Amino acid sequence: MKKSQLIAGNWKMNGSLAANEALVRAVVAGLAGGGAACRVAVCVPSPYLAQVRSLCEGSALELGAQDVSRHGQGAYTGEVSAAMLEEFGVRYAIVGHSERRQYHGESDSVVADKARAALAHGITPIVCVGETLAEREAGQTASVVRRQLAAVIDAVGDGLARIVVAYEPVWAIGTGRTATPEQAQQVHAALRAQLRAATAQADGVAILYGGSMNAANAASLLAQPDIDGGLIGGASLKAPDFLQIIAAAH
Ligand code: 13P
């Protein structure tokens, strides 16, 4: 059976104690009033996990992190482990976001290790895959996302049924240029087929779309058969926009 869709906000490196409080209070109030049909999470910068955890308490809003170390503990300055995230009630951790692949040199195998580390602590990794514009124009979209997902499939074993995948075409992130519903569905269907070849539970694995999803285009993307939710950057920082996207999900 298909689960309800998942709408996850990725705040990236944005926020402040004051701004977070206003944003989360508004989202929680909106969820309480409308009774969202979907699951909803916000992935916040690590220093704010404790703050946002307490603001979410008693609400349907779940907590996520934007990254996790592939190591368990030790001399890894600046890293945050899955065990630490678990202590703060974190349910989701984004791994392999294109900004981490691009600016921090994260390889497919590092991303796969991170997914495995999250799963070992009961945290759902949101595994990001996606092609650059050059790769799309060279006809490499399918092979790039297949390679990125294959590394995770190989690493997580039985944990595969517990991951979330996010297709985020790099050319659509923060650019206002969204993949059309047809373009996104085509890639999502290929990812689904890849998951089906690896697990009998592939239909229960949520495949989110991310990349300039907003209040205006969410409904048509979320109506596609293999789009199971969204990973929202800029629009998740504005409560009315985020709530409108949530309202478009089922
Ligand atoms: P935007 O929604 O700002 O394009 O960001 C998408 C994204 O990268 C979410 O992880």
Side-chain angles (χ1 to χ4, degrees), residues 8 10 14 16 24 55 59 63 68 82 109-110 122 134 136 145 193 198 205 235:
N10 174 9
N14 293 291
S16 66
V24 175
L55 287 166
S59 82
L63 187 59
V68 61
S109 78
V110 166
R136 173 162 282 266
V145 300
V205 175

Side-chain angles (χ1 to χ4, degrees), residues 146 149-163 165 190-203 205:
R146 167 170 272 280
L149 182 57
V152 173
I153 290 174
D154 288 347
V156 301
D158 287 350
L160 187 58
R162 293 187 287 125
I163 75 167
V165 177
L191 293 168
R192 181 85 63 204
Q194 189 177 357
L195 289 167
R196 280 195 184 129
T199 172
Q201 288 152 292
D203 290 4
V205 175

Side-chain angles (χ1 to χ4, degrees), residues 12-121:
K12 308 194 179 184
M13 199 173 71
N14 293 291
S16 66
L17 290 171
N20 303 345
E21 178 159 356
L23 175 57
V24 175
R25 283 199 193 285
V27 171
V28 166
L31 292 179
C38 63
R39 295 171 287 153
V40 185
V42 282
C43 300
V44 311
S46 296
Y48 297 133
L49 287 170
Q51 180 205 15
V52 176
R53 180 193 198 182
S54 69
L55 287 166
C56 290
E57 219 171 287
S59 82
L61 187 58
E62 296 187 306
L63 187 59
Q66 297 175 10
D67 187 27
V68 61
S69 178
R70 68 184 162 131
H71 303 292
Q73 62 168 50
Y76 303 103
T77 302
E79 295 274 279
V80 175
S81 73
M84 294 171 187
L85 297 178
E86 185 183 19
E87 282 201 303
F88 282 85
V90 167
R91 300 289 311 276
Y92 299 95
I94 297 171
V95 300
H97 193 280
S98 63
E99 289 150 16
R100 302 237 25 119
R101 292 178 189 264
Q102 189 179 347
Y103 306 137
H104 301 272
E106 290 189 10
S107 65
D108 294 337
S109 78
V110 166
V111 173
D113 284 351
K114 289 183 171 197
R116 191 169 46 195
L119 286 167
H121 286 272

Side-chain angles (χ1 to χ4, degrees), residues 201-218:
Q201 288 152 292
D203 290 4
V205 175
I207 308 178
L208 315 183
Y209 169 79
S212 298
M213 194 189 261
N214 58 39
N217 61 29

